[in-house]
Amino acid sequence: MIFMLGERLKALRQSRKLSQEFVARSVGVTKQSVCNWENENIMPSVEMTTKLARFFHVSTDYLLGLDDTAPSGDQYIEVSDLSRDELRHIQYIVEDIRNRKKSE
């Protein structure tokens, strides 16, 4: 199997203009871990792969190279410069929209 996770992780991060450090803080690891994943020196755990997929709003299959459906540019919102309170507010809005869709 050809590993694609590192390549895809790096492309997702760069397309969103995020630093390795920001991604690392966001998923609770060190910058070195993100660097190692991107360089395919090591693979993240299943749990961490799931966290990364959620963070980038892609499927784990996409990260692992099992699905070639690339995420469209409108599937993420750049929020790296927002405060925690602002991020929390956005999360509440997203949850409200999802709950409304479920009840339809």
Side-chain angles (χ1 to χ4, degrees), residues 2-72:
I2 298 173
F3 293 116
M4 303 209 61
L5 185 134
E7 182 180 309
R8 292 198 171 173
L9 182 59
K10 186 174 186 177
L12 287 166
R13 180 182 60 76
Q14 289 178 336
S15 72
R16 290 156 171 77
K17 297 178 176 56
L18 302 175
S19 68
Q20 287 180 336
E21 187 174 313
F22 180 82
V23 172
R25 277 195 318 266
S26 298
V27 297
V29 297
T30 65
K31 177 186 171 195
Q32 187 63 41
S33 292
V34 175
C35 181
N36 280 325
W37 298 334
E38 288 185 2
N39 291 321
E40 296 180 350
N41 295 329
I42 59 171
M43 293 290 290
S45 67
V46 172
E47 178 185 357
M48 190 53 63
T49 301
T50 302
K51 276 187 177 182
L52 290 165
R54 285 184 181 144
F55 176 77
F56 285 111
H57 303 286
V58 298
S59 69
T60 53
D61 282 354
Y62 177 77
L63 280 181
L64 296 170
L66 302 172
D67 178 4
D68 288 330
T69 307
S72 67

Side-chain angles (χ1 to χ4, degrees), residues 77 85-101:
I77 301 170
D85 285 340
E86 292 166 330
L87 291 172
R88 232 177 274 123
H89 184 71
I90 290 171
Q91 186 62 43
Y92 290 139
I93 293 169
V94 170
E95 289 171 8
D96 185 50
I97 291 169
R98 286 183 178 144
N99 289 334
R100 287 179 190 202
K101 288 178 105 176

